[in-house]
Amino acid sequence: MREPGTQTATSPGKAILFGEHAVVYGFPAVSLAVDLPTMVSVRRRPGTDWTLDGSPEGFQRIPYLVEAARSVGAEGIDVSIRSSLPRASGLGSSAAVTCGLLALLSKTGPGDLGTLAKLAYSAEFAAQGVGSPADTSTLCAGGIVSIGGGGYGKSLWEIAPRENRGPWKVDRLPDPGWKWVVAYTGLPKQTGDVVSAVGRKVGAGASSTVEQIGALAERGIAALFKGDRAEVGKLMNENHGLLVELGVSNPRIEEIVEALRPQTLGVKITGAGRGGSLLALPRSGEEAAVARAFAKAGTVPFVVSISPVGVRVAPPSVTSAGAASPGRSAS
Ligand code: MEV
């Protein structure tokens, strides 16, 4: 039972379809808001500490919470988090916590999603020290969006440059209505470390690979506008190859990708890589079979649809499906 005075924000999860890593340098990426919700609840308790489930130490252990609360000068709050995402799966759990808390505590809240996206990126950057606004803007916008580049679809907002990178325009792209499969490898993501390692590689001459990823994302955007499922899949496979070149795969990920290739139109790392999750585009109607193949390869699969809305403050009913469950495997 929720305690009186508690407010809850619900945020979708995210999966990057094209352009991870390259987006950090301002090249375009395409990102999906997926129906794997995370709920952040807040009870205001002025004059007390910031706590997570009653624990000040627990709150301090989550830098995203600390930076989000600090950025809006929050008074005493008790926070609780429930998520259908596996922890550290690279499916947007940190950004969901950041966006959810700020939707509840910032002045404009979810009424002005552009302002919320900017605030959330600042808090996430302060917590992580590197990275693009891809995750936070996707979770604020919902649906399918491009980040970076710009001029591809309806313009939503622009995130200002940071440390000589960006700006990032955020545009709404069409949702062709397909189902996707994401699969957690079981290897926790390490976004900050992997983004920094790629940064060193780009500095040492891998900049043409990130440029190629950016160009591929633009072809992916065109394919999405046409609803060309086979082309989107083919480009996912090409994008995975470029991520391998960037050094963000590993033998375990390659083993899973090899097992899934024949069964999918496209399969790739989604997010930072070296762990976290994979994203596959199944042939129409083959979602459950692809999820089974992922499970057989030792991963935790989820068949997902696009969440048309981003973060919102509307306490879901206690019985809302999936929202309060610890995990939802499609297998
Ligand atoms: C994380 O979801 C995707 C990366 O491009 C990092 C970022 O954009 O901040 C690897």
Side-chain angles (χ1 to χ4, degrees):
M1 272 288 281
R2 258 194 312 271
E3 292 201 43
T6 301
Q7 278 187 297
T8 299
T10 303
S11 170
K14 75 99 214 323
I16 308 264
L17 174 58
F18 300 117
E20 47 274 273
H21 290 293
V23 67
V24 172
Y25 304 91
F27 294 107
V30 178
S31 182
L32 318 174
V34 296
D35 60 347
L36 293 170
T38 293
M39 295 188 301
V40 177
S41 298
V42 167
R43 211 169 119 234
R44 292 173 195 262
R45 298 189 313 167
T48 66
D49 280 341
W50 298 335
T51 56
L52 177 66
D53 296 324
S55 158
E57 297 79 23
F59 194 102
Q60 293 296 328
R61 271 198 292 271
I62 304 192
Y64 302 92
L65 282 181
V66 174
E67 293 301 339
R70 184 179 288 154
S71 71
V72 290
E75 293 196 38
I77 43 171
D78 184 45
V79 173
S80 62
I81 299 168
R82 285 182 294 159
S83 185
S84 53
L85 297 173
R87 284 188 67 164
S89 57
L91 296 171
S93 52
S94 318
V97 165
T98 310
C99 293
L101 191 66
L102 288 170
L104 292 167
L105 297 183
S106 68
K107 276 206 188 79
T108 50
D112 176 355
L113 289 169
T115 301
L116 188 61
K118 286 167 199 163
L119 269 177
Y121 176 49
S122 294
E124 196 184 53
F125 194 89
Q128 198 171 262
V130 287
S132 82
D135 293 10
T136 39
S137 274
T138 304
L139 300 194
C140 287
I144 303 184
V145 290
S146 66
I147 301 110
Y152 308 115
K154 181 178 176 270
S155 166
L156 295 179
W157 54 76
E158 180 171 322
I159 308 282
R162 193 160 307 235
E163 294 180 1
N164 298 327
R165 288 178 185 153
W168 293 269
K169 291 189 168 145
V170 180
D171 287 6
R172 162 84 55 229
L173 303 181
D175 173 12
W178 307 328
K179 286 203 156 98
W180 308 78
V181 183
V182 290
Y184 176 43
T185 59
L187 310 168
K189 65 156 191 173
Q190 326 143 32
T191 305
D193 291 349
V194 183
V195 170
S196 301
V198 168
R200 288 191 289 278
K201 239 183 138 153
V202 169
S207 53
S208 79
T209 310
V210 288
E211 269 173 46
Q212 285 176 61
I213 292 177
L216 184 142
E218 293 201 324
R219 287 162 61 207
I221 290 168
L224 270 177
F225 268 97
K226 282 194 226 139
D228 188 339
R229 190 166 179 144
E231 176 72 2
V232 168
K234 184 173 150 261
L235 291 168
M236 288 171 72
N237 290 336
E238 272 182 45
N239 194 158
H240 181 78
L242 291 168
L243 290 169
V244 172
E245 252 178 54
L246 264 193
V248 302
S249 192
N250 62 26
R252 171 76 184 119
I253 290 175
E254 289 313 294
E255 184 183 58
I256 302 164
V257 166
E258 209 170 292
L260 266 292
R261 266 276 149 77
Q263 313 222 29
T264 57
L265 291 172
V267 56
K268 65 182 278 291
I269 286 169
T270 184
R274 291 199 190 155
S277 294
L278 302 175
L279 172 69
L281 178 57
R283 293 178 186 85
S284 179
E286 294 186 8
E287 298 80 15
V290 169
R292 277 196 299 276
F294 265 125
K296 200 168 158 216
T299 70
V300 182
F302 301 84
V303 174
V304 295
S305 299
I306 300 302
S307 167
V309 289
V311 64
R312 58 205 181 277
V313 177
S317 75
V318 180
T319 53
S320 95
S325 65
R328 177 163 67 82
S329 167
S331 55

